[in-house]
Amino acid sequence: MCTTMSVPAFSHPPTGWHTINWYLVQRQVRGLQVRIAKATKQQQWRKVKALQRMLVRSFAAKALAVKRVTENRGKATPGVDGELWGTPESKWNAIVRMKRKGYKPKPLRRVYIPKANGKRRPLGIPTMLDRAMQALYLLALEPVSETTADRNSYGFRPMRSTADAIEQCFVNISRKSSAKWILEGDIKGCFDNISHDWLLANIPLDKQVLRKWLKAGFMESGGLYPTEAGTPQGGIISPVLANMALDGLETVLESQFGKKNTKASYKTKVNYVRYADDFIITGISRELLEEQVKPLVEVFMAERGLKLSQEKTLITHVSEGFDFLGQNLRSYNGKLLIKPSRKNLRNVLGKLKGIVTGNKTATAGNLIMMLNPILKGWANYHRHVVAKETFNYVDYRMWTMLWKWCRRRHKNRGYRWIKGKYFKSMGNRNWVFSGELGKGNFSRLTYTMDTPIKRHIKMKAEANPYLPEFEEYFEQRLERAWKDSMHGRNKLLTLWLRQRKRCVMCHYLITKETGWNIHHIVERVKGGSDKLSNLVLLHPNCHRQLHVLG
């Protein structure tokens, strides 16, 4: 580990945002979260409540909550009061304002975002203070939700992903002896309809604060509208509240049909996988799922104010195939194959076509800069499944779009001239779409076929990031993920491993979620080099703090 820098030691309380010792802050919060998780595991609910109260009152948790809401993607989006916390002074003052006594959340600012099916989804944007308060109480709630969560729930949970959910589906239905019938569950307006009474009675959180959030209402077209049910989509704490409302179904199914790999479960083969509000349940027959499993699910949902959509909740044989999380799972002559779904493929091609046709006068370099993030993101999402044939098709369609784009720009030029201007030879490829970005800098189009297919290693079902016994396991997974994502970026990976995966300022893990900056120990203007010996990785906030402190 790099030893040329050390954590600043503060012998007195911080006096401003940039004098906060983030190492001590993270340590104090983490220590309380571990204690909450342990107490939850032992079902010591009075102790959980006392520890949560201690956590939300602490300076460390408040500072961490402000840090989160001022560094995430929504930091520049104001609520109904128009307030943003962009300066160190406003962040520091925000910590002082975060008090339970007298706290009254403001209504959400209602906006609409487009969905894949052409419809619009309502999104509620809280004020900065309300976001920070939600982030504060989330620090106290998440250790509980992670400890009580369904084992095979994968959405909106730290370190879990859609790839884990898909891999669990593969485990459940890929063998010859596996269940062949699938109940595809679809909850009607899940986020909008969860019962407030159920949440207030069952969520282990300060009831007074939770009630205020649930009843805050929203502003739209200058009018104030009440909220009688549901969790506000857009609030930091909402996904965890929704997850906790849906947790427990796996236990209900196991109590009725037996745990996996037990005698009872072999008779019915009922297994459950959920990602957010999308779920599937396997079964040995259509009748079992229709007459026994589905009614059980409907009763469970009704207690929480929810209903299954009768049109979208389907029972399918695995030989017909079904779509789940943008991928199609289908058995071909007894062999289960998972491929990108047709709907998902249509959506990405539609998005790519919209960019190409909507930027007819853009330079080739700028067009590539717009296309590459979509191509890379889509290919990385599907890189764990049988996707090579689909990747090849996307690259072909991309080529036809770009060739048409080039021909339109140069109607009086021949094919050979157009190829020489826009398509270069690189490695084994002769038709690589390229463009200039500034003087001497060239960008090239990403080809999805170049994305290696690699089987995803599923998260252990019982793994809990708030329990010390899983600390090493999560670090190993993090290292594996970094090595996969840092392909071709050896310098960055070397720095990260040399620092034992941690920021040298605050000593906490550097992940894709936290982000990172590369810092020169001796600045380049003072003669510092770009050699590894002069570089360290820091969290963005730690990097700013270092430069402010000098």
Side-chain angles (χ1 to χ4, degrees):
M1 185 174 176
C2 179
T3 56
T4 52
M5 297 175 63
S6 59
V7 178
F10 300 106
S11 57
H12 52 81
T15 55
W17 182 254
H18 285 307
T19 62
I20 295 172
N21 185 332
W22 292 107
Y23 172 62
L24 295 178
V25 160
Q26 298 259 20
R27 226 176 124 182
Q28 185 180 341
V29 171
R30 183 70 180 179
L32 283 168
Q33 287 180 317
V34 168
R35 290 174 67 189
I36 291 170
K38 285 180 178 178
T40 303
K41 192 176 180 181
Q42 295 162 4
Q43 297 190 343
Q44 298 176 337
W45 298 112
R46 289 183 68 180
K47 187 175 181 181
V48 168
K49 190 175 180 180
L51 289 168
Q52 285 182 323
R53 193 184 301 117
M54 191 186 304
L55 180 62
V56 298
R57 289 178 177 179
S58 69
F59 170 85
K62 291 176 182 179
L64 214 53
V66 172
K67 183 174 184 284
R68 175 171 178 175
V69 300
T70 55
E71 292 183 6
N72 62 14
R73 284 188 298 177
K75 64 184 178 183
T77 308
V80 292
D81 60 358
E83 185 180 2
L84 291 174
W85 297 340
T87 64
E89 292 75 20
S90 60
K91 295 174 188 178
W92 178 253
N93 292 333
I95 297 174
V96 181
R97 291 168 59 192
M98 293 173 68
K99 294 177 181 177
R100 179 182 181 275
K101 190 175 181 181
Y103 169 62
K104 187 178 179 181
K106 286 184 169 63
L108 305 171
R109 180 166 70 88
R110 174 66 65 90
V111 296
Y112 291 89
I113 57 174
K115 294 170 71 174
N117 59 9
K119 294 181 180 179
R120 296 193 307 163
R121 179 163 64 92
L123 194 70
I125 302 175
T127 65
M128 289 300 292
L129 180 60
D130 294 335
R131 271 178 255 178
M133 288 294 282
Q134 287 190 22
L136 174 64
Y137 280 86
L138 180 59
L139 289 171
L141 183 61
E142 201 166 58
V144 180
S145 68
E146 280 299 298
T147 309
T148 59
D150 285 343
R151 293 194 315 280
N152 289 304
S153 159
Y154 298 97
F156 301 124
R157 293 183 62 192
M159 308 292 283
R160 284 168 168 79
S161 66
T162 52
D164 290 308
I166 292 292
E167 186 63 25
Q168 184 61 37
C169 291
F170 182 84
V171 169
N172 288 343
I173 59 180
S174 61
R175 298 184 182 92
K176 285 185 179 180
S177 59
S178 297
K180 302 302 178 188
W181 289 92
I182 315 295
L183 170 67
E184 304 171 59
D186 186 275
I187 303 169
K188 209 170 184 176
C190 177
F191 280 88
D192 297 329
N193 296 308
I194 297 173
S195 164
H196 285 181
D197 290 339
W198 190 93
L199 289 171
L200 290 165
N202 293 277
I203 300 297
L205 194 68
D206 189 311
K207 307 299 180 191
Q208 186 178 328
V209 174
L210 180 58
R211 182 179 286 104
K212 287 178 180 178
W213 285 332
L214 295 175
K215 303 297 183 185
F218 63 91
M219 296 287 293
E220 186 176 12
S221 303
L224 175 62
Y225 299 87
T227 44
E228 301 300 333
T231 61
Q233 293 191 55
I236 288 176
I237 205 168
S238 296
V240 175
L241 294 177
N243 255 347
M244 294 186 79
L246 297 175
D247 281 334
L249 181 54
E250 189 167 28
T251 305
V252 169
L253 292 170
E254 286 176 351
S255 66
Q256 186 75 16
F257 302 105
K259 282 192 175 183
K260 194 174 182 181
N261 299 327
T262 61
K263 272 189 178 181
S265 72
Y266 283 129
K267 292 179 182 178
T268 57
K269 296 177 182 174
V270 171
N271 294 298
Y272 169 78
V273 180
R274 177 169 69 83
Y275 186 91
D277 58 341
D278 294 321
F279 66 89
I280 66 149
I281 302 173
T282 66
I284 202 166
S285 68
R286 175 187 283 274
E287 292 72 30
L288 173 76
L289 293 174
E290 186 73 58
E291 297 169 12
Q292 296 184 51
V293 173
K294 190 177 176 183
L296 207 65
V297 175
E298 287 174 332
V299 170
F300 176 88
M301 296 298 171
E303 291 173 0
R304 290 148 176 80
L306 301 172
K307 292 180 181 177
L308 291 180
S309 168
Q310 297 303 317
E311 302 81 30
K312 297 180 181 178
T313 298
L314 308 171
I315 296 176
T316 314
H317 194 273
V318 72
S319 61
E320 299 170 21
F322 65 96
D323 289 351
F324 187 55
L325 303 178
Q327 295 177 341
N328 180 264
L329 295 86
R330 185 177 173 185
S331 180
Y332 297 83
N333 298 320
K335 184 175 183 179
L336 183 74
L337 296 181
I338 306 174
K339 302 178 182 181
S341 71
R342 288 185 180 182
K343 183 180 177 183
N344 184 271
L345 178 60
R346 280 198 305 269
N347 287 343
V348 74
L349 288 174
K351 192 179 290 186
L352 293 166
K353 186 177 180 180
I355 291 172
V356 174
T357 56
N359 291 277
K360 292 173 181 174
T361 59
T363 64
N366 287 337
L367 184 62
I368 289 168
M369 292 295 285
M370 288 183 267
L371 293 170
N372 274 355
I374 295 168
L375 289 165
K376 285 178 184 175
W378 182 81
N380 282 333
Y381 183 84
H382 294 291
R383 73 187 186 277
H384 303 301
V385 300
V386 184
K388 274 295 180 187
E389 189 178 325
T390 312
F391 286 173
N392 196 27
Y393 177 70
V394 168
D395 289 345
Y396 163 71
R397 288 289 302 273
M398 196 72 256
W399 182 87
T400 59
M401 289 180 212
L402 292 172
W403 183 254
K404 189 176 179 181
W405 182 85
C406 296
R407 290 280 296 138
R408 181 191 171 279
R409 291 167 72 93
H410 306 285
K411 292 179 180 177
N412 299 324
R413 294 287 186 172
Y415 292 172
R416 189 170 293 177
W417 185 92
I418 293 173
K419 180 183 184 296
K421 180 172 176 63
Y422 292 105
F423 296 90
K424 311 298 179 187
S425 294
M426 293 185 184
N428 296 326
R429 283 191 198 279
N430 294 321
W431 288 79
V432 179
F433 187 68
S434 307
E436 189 173 359
L437 278 174
K439 289 186 178 179
N441 292 322
F442 280 85
S443 61
R444 60 175 289 270
L445 187 75
T446 293
Y447 285 83
T448 58
M449 270 293 289
D450 293 340
T451 304
I453 301 294
K454 189 174 181 181
R455 180 82 176 265
H456 178 72
I457 299 172
K458 193 184 82 71
M459 172 76 68
K460 282 182 182 178
E462 68 278 6
N464 185 335
Y466 295 101
L467 292 177
E469 56 263 36
F470 292 106
E471 185 86 20
E472 187 178 349
Y473 172 74
F474 279 106
E475 289 209 10
Q476 287 171 353
R477 284 191 68 88
L478 179 62
E479 184 171 332
R480 192 185 302 124
W482 256 71
K483 285 179 177 176
D484 288 345
S485 64
M486 290 296 130
H487 181 67
R489 299 167 75 183
N490 293 335
K491 183 181 277 192
L492 199 58
L493 182 60
T494 301
L495 277 175
W496 187 70
L497 291 173
R498 188 181 72 182
Q499 296 174 196
R500 298 177 190 171
K501 316 177 195 80
R502 296 169 186 274
C503 169
V504 296
M505 280 281 285
C506 70
H507 291 283
Y508 271 83
L509 289 170
I510 293 175
T511 67
K512 285 187 283 185
E513 288 71 30
T514 65
W516 62 82
N517 289 161
I518 296 176
H519 174 71
H520 290 74
I521 298 167
V522 178
E523 296 173 32
R524 278 180 291 187
V525 293
K526 295 179 181 177
S529 71
D530 288 331
K531 290 182 179 179
L532 283 172
S533 57
N534 192 47
L535 301 176
V536 288
L537 289 181
L538 301 171
H539 290 133
N541 187 71
C542 294
H543 196 203
R544 286 192 294 271
Q545 186 180 41
L546 181 70
H547 280 287
V548 169
L549 294 174

